[in-house]
Amino acid sequence: MLEIQKISKSFYRKLALDDVSLTINQGEIFGLLGPNGAGKTTLIRIINKIVESDKGSIRFNGDLMTHKHLSEIGYLPEERGLYKSMTVENHALFLGQLRGLSKADVKLKLNYWLEKFNIQDWRNKRIEELSKGMAQKVQFICTVLHEPQLLILDEPFSGFDPINVELIKQELIEMKSKGKTIILSSHNMESVEAICDRVALIHESKKIIDGKISTLQEERKKGEYAIKFRGSMIAFVNALWTGFEIVDKEILGDDKFIVRVKMRGENRFDDLLKVLIGQIKMEAVWEVLPSMQEIFIDLVQPKVELKNEK
Amino acid sequence: MRNSWLIALREWKERISARSFLMLSILGPLSVIGLIYMLFALGGQTKQHWNVLIADPAGIMENKILSREDDAVSYSFADGYLEIEEFEKGKRFQEFDALLEINEKILSNKTAYVFFREKPSMRMQTRIQYQAERRLEEVLVKEFTKFSISEFRKIKQPLTLGFRNVYDPNDKSSDLRGWVGLFYGTVIFIFIFLFGMTILRSVSREKSNRIVEVLLGCVNPKQLMLGKIIGIGLAAFFQFIIWVIFIGLGLYLMRENLFPNLLDASNMNIPQLSNEVLAQTSQEQFFSAREYNEFVELVYERINFTFMTGYFILFFIVGYFFYGTLFASIGASSGSESDGQQFVLPLIFMLCFALYSGYFALQYPESSLSTLFHYLPFTSPVVVMVKLSQGYPIGHFYELFLSLLLLLLSSLAVLSIAGRIYANGILQFGHRVRLKHLFRWMRY
């Protein structure tokens, strides 16, 4: 769907993107993750032709990306706004027509979305009459009105209220099921990783890793397991021997805990379970996989430490 | 282009539905009409008897000018050639209020000059011009043609009578028509300033409410800037049309109700009227109608509004683009709505300077500075209007188009440079704009 090849961009003397390459497949939700100032927004602006790259190229469905492809893209920037004095319908008409729709098409599609969100009576309301949450819905509708093949949402959940976050997550999943491609960018990795199929981590203008979330987690897991149990903590500790260490514990009640343990050497988790059975009442057991946040910190930390040492 | 047009339409709708637009549409023409009415009602009502000396060394007029006595003007003929300085200082000439200089060139260039001590009213200027012209017609018909006077009037070239201050012959501000040009030029610049500031505010508001990046996802920065300038320009033009209609209607109503006799006077020039009637009845009607004042005469008789308005529109459009792009680029480069105001000051200074240059051109139309201002793109819209109302010398009308061409080329150059500032500045938020930013953005 989208091939980003060796993109570099500098703003005067400041490097914003350094040789970034990515491939985004049709029908997937792709997460562009990284801290603030990493270069995510610059990359998104380059895809949207708002900013020209210094080097590299982007291919859209195999063709070199040009302005004509913009009508296939829906873009909700991080810094988004609306004209306060315009009505919802006029807003949709204006932005829809800019994306190449006819007036009649805009009205038809606006009807669909207003009905879907059950907000038909907003049609003739001016934006300044709407609450922030209501305006956010209008922004989302205006972004997807022209049924784009590729939807790019920059920090989509920042500033959105929890109800809208959930609503939009559901919409994104539904759009994915219809074969649409979605790029989400966020510095708050936990907010998007749950719905992303694949992610790329960007740090200090470079892509440091990309791939399927499950693969990345599998590759970077540390042999940690979590055990939720009822019983005595002393009994639990006594049952362990040197082959395991407690990494973390969470006290849920007087006799209820979640404990994270880590394997040492060649020891296996089922050996531990055998020992624990009879000592405590286990309620749940699961393998602890690293979050994207942890993977990111793991990848970035050594560099930061190395820099500090120097 | 479709997208620029959509942006322009949105901008136009927003502007014309704003309350300020409605206010300006009503208050603007009302103030202009009020001002004209005040000039009509208060100006130039004093009557004066004028003693005019005619220097006609070639004896073209044969020492005759009036077929009958005129209470307001007495003419005397000087003997032979008379220097202006002599007229100015000579004791025996002090009793004369003005010197009408006629030389043999008048037969070919139809131009003569009146040197006055005290500025004559428009009514008096018209009277002298009328009487000199009638006499000249008689001479021309008698000497050079086989036509009758009424036939000759159909084909004749009108006499151009220049009025000059005898103490300062280079000062041509006494020509009221020039002031009309300055008025037109001032209107251009008031519109450019008002709507230029609207562009600036609109661009910085789009930045501060963050809609701009949504728009930039659909259109490129130059299309966005162009759409905005066109949209606001359309609103300005629409406003102007409303002004023209209201002012035109106001002038018509004033003519019908406040100065109705003027209609009779306008019949005066109908060529079918016989020579005798012209000489006896209509001439009196003509002058009685002129008893109002010089402004009535100026507004209803002298100015070719259609002609002036046509060129006004041309220079307004191109001048608006010239300044509009600059306002847009300043709006785009500002970090917040209040920031960047300091860069408006040079623009306001340029606009004020342009108005001053119009006044300067009115005072000293033939100075080389006036010529420079006539071609400088940021002053030319006013100066051209002044010059246009004063009248370009025959064969020099191309100067207007040359000035228009220069303004057009400069506008394109400014559009390109300001477009770069706009494109670079539009996505910069929360900074304090500095001059070095503008120069840096200009280069990329």
Side-chain angles (χ1 to χ4, degrees):
Chain A
M1 172 81 188
L2 199 70
E3 286 170 65
I4 297 164
Q5 293 160 339
K6 294 178 174 295
I7 291 281
S8 294
K9 175 73 188 172
S10 301
F11 290 106
Y12 315 113
R13 284 176 200 156
K14 191 173 174 289
L15 193 63
L17 281 176
D18 185 10
D19 204 29
V20 172
S21 296
L22 285 173
T23 302
I24 292 146
N25 303 318
Q26 172 96 38
E28 73 176 0
I29 300 182
F30 189 89
L32 210 53
L33 309 179
N36 283 328
K40 306 182 300 293
T41 301
T42 304
L43 181 59
I44 285 176
R45 285 179 178 169
I46 289 172
I47 297 171
N48 276 292
K49 290 274 173 202
I50 295 172
V51 170
E52 289 291 324
S53 63
D54 298 336
K55 285 183 199 163
S57 62
I58 298 179
R59 290 188 170 274
F60 188 93
N61 283 336
D63 298 332
L64 208 57
M65 176 103 187
T66 61
H67 274 98
K68 72 171 184 182
H69 294 109
L70 290 180
S71 59
E72 301 288 331
I73 298 179
Y75 173 42
L76 186 68
E78 179 183 7
E79 302 283 5
R80 45 193 170 248
L82 297 164
Y83 291 110
K84 290 194 173 76
S85 59
M86 279 173 94
T87 63
V88 172
E89 184 174 58
N90 284 342
H91 234 293
L93 277 170
F94 175 57
L95 292 174
Q97 283 180 287
L98 279 182
R99 291 289 194 187
L101 290 181
S102 69
K103 256 187 184 180
D105 277 348
V106 173
K107 287 192 175 179
L108 208 68
K109 289 176 203 294
L110 181 66
N111 279 346
Y112 166 80
W113 283 101
L114 291 180
E115 270 174 38
K116 184 163 192 180
F117 287 169
N118 199 21
I119 49 174
Q120 292 96 319
D121 53 336
W122 292 10
R123 181 189 297 276
N124 294 316
K125 279 198 173 162
R126 284 145 67 104
I127 301 297
E128 60 197 355
E129 296 172 56
L130 303 180
S131 69
K132 201 176 170 194
M134 292 156 99
Q136 287 167 348
K137 278 185 187 163
V138 176
Q139 281 161 344
F140 181 76
I141 292 173
C142 289
T143 310
V144 298
L145 204 63
H146 60 297
E147 296 179 0
Q149 286 303 308
L150 173 64
L151 187 62
I152 302 175
L153 310 177
D154 193 3
E155 300 288 356
F157 306 123
S158 72
F160 272 43
D161 59 50
I163 297 168
N164 279 346
V165 167
E166 209 41 51
L167 183 83
I168 286 167
K169 275 186 181 173
Q170 288 314 311
E171 283 308 321
L172 294 181
I173 290 165
E174 194 181 323
M175 289 172 97
K176 179 191 155 189
S177 70
K178 288 177 184 166
K180 309 282 184 195
T181 310
I182 298 155
I183 300 177
L184 301 179
S185 140
S186 184
H187 69 279
N188 181 0
M189 301 175 197
E190 285 166 12
S191 68
V192 295
E193 66 175 85
I195 57 167
C196 288
D197 300 304
R198 290 196 310 126
V199 293
L201 280 175
I202 297 194
H203 180 58
E204 290 179 349
S205 70
K206 285 190 171 72
K207 180 189 82 179
I208 50 175
I209 196 169
D210 69 328
K212 271 185 123 171
I213 289 190
S214 54
T215 313
L216 293 175
Q217 285 174 323
E218 201 62 38
E219 283 169 2
R220 279 163 183 76
K221 68 182 181 187
K222 292 171 181 166
E224 285 179 15
Y225 292 87
I227 303 163
K228 186 179 174 188
F229 67 91
R230 275 181 185 279
S232 156
M233 190 66 198
I234 297 165
F236 180 87
V237 174
N238 286 343
L240 296 176
W241 77 101
T242 53
F244 305 91
E245 68 173 283
I246 296 178
V247 178
D248 194 15
K249 69 173 181 190
E250 190 182 345
I251 302 167
L252 301 175
D254 286 344
D255 61 344
K256 198 171 180 181
F257 305 91
I258 296 177
V259 177
R260 270 169 71 179
V261 293
K262 189 175 180 181
M263 306 293 107
R264 276 186 177 163
E266 296 297 309
N267 295 301
R268 293 188 346 227
F269 185 61
D270 47 355
D271 296 333
L272 175 66
L273 287 182
K274 280 177 201 160
V275 178
L276 286 174
I277 289 168
Q279 303 292 327
I280 52 167
K281 189 180 173 196
M282 279 184 276
E283 290 187 341
V285 173
W286 65 92
E287 188 176 22
V288 176
L289 292 171
S291 68
M292 286 314 298
Q293 182 94 15
E294 287 165 331
I295 294 174
F296 174 74
I297 290 167
D298 272 358
L299 286 165
V300 169
Q301 206 77 36
K303 287 183 194 168
V304 175
E305 280 167 8
L306 210 65
K307 267 188 192 171
N308 290 343
E309 278 170 23
K310 278 180 184 174
Chain B
M1 200 57 213
R2 177 182 179 266
N3 284 350
S4 288
W5 184 240
L6 285 170
I7 288 164
L9 271 183
R10 194 208 72 79
E11 203 65 49
W12 182 74
K13 280 183 197 161
E14 186 174 307
R15 294 279 87 76
I16 61 162
S17 57
R19 199 173 295 162
S20 56
F21 186 88
L22 188 70
M23 295 291 283
L24 199 63
S25 302
I26 297 168
L27 293 180
L30 270 184
S31 5
V32 174
I33 291 280
L35 189 74
I36 293 174
Y37 178 77
M38 275 169 64
L39 293 174
F40 280 7
L42 304 174
Q45 280 177 337
T46 51
K47 285 191 181 179
Q48 215 180 341
H49 181 89
W50 273 60
N51 262 332
V52 178
L53 182 67
I54 302 175
D56 179 18
I60 292 167
M61 289 195 166
E62 296 168 344
N63 287 358
K64 272 199 301 192
I65 182 157
L66 289 175
S67 55
R68 59 203 291 267
E69 281 297 307
D70 184 341
D71 293 339
V73 195
S74 313
Y75 292 97
S76 312
F77 283 85
D79 303 324
Y81 186 74
L82 181 60
E83 283 284 349
I84 294 162
E85 274 189 23
E86 208 181 332
F87 175 75
E88 180 196 339
K89 292 173 185 160
K91 268 191 184 167
R92 62 195 175 105
F93 298 116
Q94 295 305 315
E95 62 176 298
F96 294 104
D97 300 298
L99 169 71
L100 169 59
E101 194 186 55
I102 307 272
N103 58 34
E104 60 272 22
K105 285 186 194 158
I106 195 171
L107 298 175
S108 53
N109 67 11
K110 304 286 181 300
T111 305
Y113 289 95
V114 173
F115 296 90
F116 55 80
R117 294 186 196 279
E118 189 186 318
K119 192 183 145 194
S121 67
M122 198 65 180
R123 177 165 51 90
M124 188 58 73
Q125 289 183 25
T126 314
R127 192 180 288 251
I128 297 169
Q129 166 148 9
Y130 177 78
Q131 289 164 344
E133 196 166 3
R134 292 294 91 85
R135 177 63 190 139
L136 206 64
E137 278 168 8
E138 284 174 12
V139 172
L140 286 169
V141 168
K142 193 173 148 202
E143 295 286 324
F144 301 103
T145 73
K146 53 183 186 302
F147 300 115
S148 70
I149 282 198
S150 57
E151 283 171 327
F152 177 73
R153 279 200 182 115
K154 290 180 193 168
I155 55 162
K156 66 152 188 167
Q157 253 185 322
L159 174 70
T160 309
L161 206 56
F163 285 82
R164 301 279 182 271
N165 189 331
V166 72
Y167 304 110
D168 184 8
N170 288 328
D171 175 10
K172 296 178 184 173
S173 61
S174 51
D175 187 352
L176 260 178
R177 284 175 300 175
W179 286 95
V180 174
L182 190 60
F183 171 76
Y184 265 93
T186 308
V187 170
I188 290 186
F189 273 71
I190 287 176
F191 271 70
I192 286 178
F193 175 70
L194 287 179
F195 286 89
M197 287 303 285
T198 308
I199 294 176
L200 184 135
R201 273 197 304 273
S202 170
V203 171
S204 48
R205 200 175 300 137
E206 271 180 5
K207 272 188 84 165
S208 64
N209 78 10
R210 305 293 198 247
I211 182 85
V212 69
E213 196 164 350
V214 178
L215 299 178
L216 289 173
C218 318
V219 295
N220 67 44
K222 278 192 182 166
Q223 282 177 323
L224 180 59
M225 181 175 87
L226 210 60
K228 190 161 279 294
I229 294 172
I230 291 173
I232 295 175
L234 281 177
F237 192 67
F238 187 51
Q239 177 84 255
F240 172 71
I241 298 291
I242 294 174
W243 279 42
V244 167
I245 292 172
F246 279 167
I247 294 173
L249 194 69
L251 286 177
Y252 174 75
L253 289 177
M254 272 204 263
R255 189 165 103 159
E256 291 291 291
N257 300 309
L258 300 175
F259 309 101
N261 292 341
L262 207 69
L263 285 172
D264 302 335
S266 64
N267 291 334
M268 155 34 236
N269 282 328
I270 294 174
Q272 298 94 305
L273 286 177
S274 72
N275 208 7
E276 291 76 17
V277 175
L278 257 179
Q280 288 162 22
T281 328
S282 285
Q283 192 169 340
E284 278 165 15
Q285 275 186 12
F286 177 76
F287 290 124
S288 70
R290 292 297 180 282
E291 293 304 323
Y292 291 102
N293 69 38
E294 49 195 309
F295 294 105
V296 178
E297 150 80 14
L298 175 77
V299 169
Y300 291 117
E301 299 288 317
R302 287 257 171 156
I303 305 165
N304 187 341
F305 281 107
T306 325
F307 178 73
M308 287 285 293
T309 307
Y311 287 103
F312 169 92
I313 289 170
L314 270 181
F315 274 87
F316 168 69
I317 292 171
V318 189
Y320 167 79
F321 262 93
F322 181 84
Y323 278 98
T325 43
L326 291 174
F327 274 106
S329 62
I330 288 175
S333 55
S334 59
S336 63
E337 249 184 276
S338 55
D339 186 30
Q341 303 283 349
Q342 72 270 31
F343 292 106
V344 181
L345 279 178
L347 271 185
I348 294 175
F349 174 74
M350 270 163 83
L351 287 166
C352 291
F353 182 74
L355 287 182
Y356 171 74
S357 70
Y359 181 71
F360 184 87
L362 185 71
Q363 299 281 338
Y364 309 103
E366 271 147 32
S367 84
S368 50
L369 260 182
S370 293
T371 314
L372 177 71
F373 294 153
H374 181 265
Y375 292 112
L376 263 186
F378 61 92
T379 54
S380 64
V382 185
V383 179
V384 168
M385 282 297 121
V386 171
K387 212 158 176 195
L388 193 64
S389 59
Q390 286 171 333
Y392 279 88
I394 293 163
H396 285 258
F397 203 69
Y398 72 92
E399 289 173 6
L400 180 142
F401 291 103
L402 189 60
S403 176
L404 184 65
L405 183 71
L406 280 175
L407 181 61
L408 192 67
L409 292 177
S410 316
S411 298
L412 291 176
V414 167
L415 192 69
S416 160
I417 295 167
R420 276 184 228 166
I421 296 180
Y422 183 92
N424 282 297
I426 195 76
L427 284 174
Q428 309 284 331
F429 300 102
H431 62 289
R432 279 186 65 79
V433 65
R434 302 210 189 288
L435 208 56
K436 65 174 183 182
H437 293 137
L438 300 184
F439 283 115
R440 192 192 280 167
W441 293 338
M442 252 182 232
R443 283 182 280 141
Y444 290 91

